[in-house]
């Protein structure tokens, strides 16, 4: 309920100090409300926002795994800066949560023009990168794709 109010206030007021105070109140009182806010924000906005990025810092690892799945579902159908930021944040804070999604992330290429585009591959096990190594050594793989694979494998 509080998360829905914060989304409604953000839609009507835009950025304001009051909006941030509401976010900090959510974070202090109930981390699940912050997850709900971020989830609703993903549903309602595609353009990135500082308040959305800041909210990601207050989400538990358990809830972050749910946000990752939602962000990937969104990116499968449309471009969305907020969904890309979920992947970015996860690659820095919880890279292990991205390990099961490496194939689809390589296909979707979120944040691909950013220096941190390969960060989701950090901490991936040998088993998880085997398919990427096989693609890399496949003679049918293009040079451009090999360059992309190499960057991922270096992580």
């Amino acid at each position: 309920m509080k998360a829905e109010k914060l989304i409604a206030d953000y839609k009507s007021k835009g950025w304001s100090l009051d909006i941030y105070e509401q976010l900090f109140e959510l974070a202090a009182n109930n981390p699940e409300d912050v997850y709900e806010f971020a989830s609703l924000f993903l549903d309602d906005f595609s353009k990135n926002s500082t308040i959305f990025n800041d909210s990601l810092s207050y989400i538990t690892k358990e809830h972050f795994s749910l946000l990752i799945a939602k962000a990937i579902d969104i990116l499968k159908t449309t471009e969305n800066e907020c969904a890309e930021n979920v992947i970015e944040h996860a690659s820095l804070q919880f890279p292990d949560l991205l390990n099961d999604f490496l194939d689809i992330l390589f296909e979707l290429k979120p944040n691909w023009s950013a220096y941190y585009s390969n960060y989701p591959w950090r901490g991936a096990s040998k088993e998880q990168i085997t398919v990427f190594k096989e693609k890399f050594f496949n003679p049918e793989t293009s040079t451009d794709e090999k360059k992309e694979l190499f960057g991922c494998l270096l992580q």
Side-chain angles (χ1 to χ4, degrees):
M1 186 71 155
K2 290 181 180 183
E4 290 171 349
K5 180 186 180 319
L6 181 51
I7 291 290
D9 287 352
Y10 183 77
K11 283 180 179 177
S12 66
K13 296 179 187 177
W15 188 92
S16 71
L17 184 57
D18 177 53
I19 298 292
Y20 262 87
E21 289 172 356
Q22 289 180 59
L23 175 63
F24 295 141
E25 185 179 321
L26 284 180
N29 294 325
N30 189 354
E32 190 155 320
D33 286 340
V34 180
Y35 161 72
E36 184 181 349
F37 167 77
S39 181
L40 292 170
F41 203 98
L42 275 173
D43 290 336
D44 292 349
F45 301 96
S46 62
K47 287 286 185 193
N48 194 21
S49 171
T50 303
I51 194 166
F52 177 73
N53 288 343
D54 288 350
S55 74
L56 297 177
S57 299
Y58 298 102
I59 295 174
T60 64
K61 187 173 184 176
E62 175 187 349
H63 285 125
F64 220 96
S65 63
L66 301 172
L67 267 186
I68 290 168
K70 185 174 195 164
I72 289 173
D73 284 343
I74 290 168
L75 291 170
K76 285 177 183 177
T77 61
T78 187
E79 290 185 17
N80 184 300
E81 291 177 7
C82 294
E84 286 192 4
N85 281 1
V86 169
I87 304 304
E88 171 195 350
H89 193 87
S91 70
L92 295 171
Q93 300 301 320
F94 309 115
D96 57 307
L97 295 179
L98 296 171
N99 289 345
D100 292 337
F101 301 102
L102 295 178
D103 285 339
I104 191 70
L105 290 174
F106 189 78
E107 180 183 322
L108 296 173
K109 299 180 180 1
N111 305 306
W112 213 245
S113 63
Y115 69 90
Y116 48 80
S117 63
N118 297 326
Y119 285 10
W121 282 262
R122 289 180 169 189
S125 70
K126 287 181 182 179
E127 294 79 22
Q128 291 165 325
I129 64 168
T130 300
V131 68
F132 299 102
K133 286 171 55 178
E134 290 170 359
K135 284 182 188 179
F136 182 79
F137 289 111
N138 184 334
E140 294 179 15
T141 302
S142 72
T143 303
D144 288 340
E145 190 172 17
K146 284 186 179 193
K147 288 177 185 176
E148 293 170 351
L149 288 162
F150 187 71
C152 295
L153 292 169
L154 281 178
Q155 294 300 315

